[in-house]
């Protein structure tokens, strides 16, 4: 995106590490209760320690986490976990409220899909609340083929990674959150 000097911040994408626990905790504390609920489908007032531990329990093959960082703070997170010995993996992500709809989620989801494909993952699966139209739009922006089954108010999605759309460009600078 283009913007004038004062309204642009550099965003970098990197693998999450065990050292990111406090930065992730701070990111989650900045999320609105609506964003927390949309990500976890539970109304956490504070993200539990075991969730942070799960997010950071990565092996870079069957489990991978990426973070988006701006001004040394984590502003978004994406992860996948392979489902058993299959070529399917569950994917989950969250973008800090002020950074939503600015290209961060698209960049993260595209990046982790590329990395998962290199590790033999063929399909991402997941669940999205029916009210979460932004995520449904994001999936369709990143993948050419998105399959949904709606059960009990949840969209259960399945996306073949081979249908990953070529990223418009690998943006490293995104419009600053208002």
């Amino acid at each position: 995106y283009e913007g004038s000097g004062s309204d642009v911040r550099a965003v970098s994408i990197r693998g999450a590490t065990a050292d990111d626990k406090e930065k992730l905790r701070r990111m989650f504390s900045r999320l609105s209760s609506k964003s927390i609920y949309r990500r976890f489908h539970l109304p956490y007032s504070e993200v539990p320690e075991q969730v942070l531990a799960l997010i950071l329990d990565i092996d870079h093959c069957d489990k991978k986490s990426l973070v988006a960082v701006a001004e040394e703070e984590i502003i978004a997170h994406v992860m996948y976990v392979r489902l058993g010995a299959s070529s399917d993996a569950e994917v989950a992500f969250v973008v800090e409220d002020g950074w939503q709809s600015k290209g961060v989620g698209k960049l993260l989801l595209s990046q982790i899909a590329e990395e998962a494909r290199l590790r033999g993952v063929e399909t991402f699966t997941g669940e999205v609340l029916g009210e979460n139209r932004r995520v449904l739009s994001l999936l369709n922006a990143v993948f050419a083929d998105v399959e949904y089954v709606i059960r009990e108010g949840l969209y259960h999605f399945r996306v073949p990674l081979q249908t990953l759309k070529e990223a418009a460009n690998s943006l490293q600078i995104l419009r600053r959150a208002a």
Side-chain angles (χ1 to χ4, degrees), residues 52-63:
L52 289 171
L54 174 69
I55 287 171
L56 294 172
D57 176 27
I58 48 183
D59 62 16
H60 302 288
C61 185
D62 292 333
K63 297 182 227 167

Side-chain angles (χ1 to χ4, degrees), residues 1-9 173-176:
Y1 293 131
E2 294 187 17
S4 62
S6 65
D7 72 343
V8 173
R9 291 188 274 181
I173 299 197
L174 302 167
R175 189 174 306 280
R176 181 183 181 145

Side-chain angles (χ1 to χ4, degrees), residues 105-107 109-111 113 137-146 163-167:
K106 186 175 182 180
L107 195 60
L109 190 55
S110 296
Q111 179 73 35
S137 294
L138 176 62
L139 290 168
N140 284 299
V142 174
F143 299 98
D145 184 16
V146 182
T163 71
L164 178 66
K165 294 177 183 176
E166 190 170 323

Side-chain angles (χ1 to χ4, degrees), residues 23-51:
K23 286 183 179 183
L24 279 167
R25 186 189 319 279
R26 286 196 302 272
M27 181 204 64
F28 285 123
S29 75
R30 292 188 303 266
L31 292 177
S32 67
S33 58
K34 187 178 206 174
S35 289
I36 290 281
Y37 187 75
R38 284 180 169 172
R39 165 57 180 88
F40 296 104
H41 305 182
L42 292 167
Y44 290 135
S45 58
E46 188 174 295
V47 176
E49 286 298 312
Q50 66 264 29
V51 172

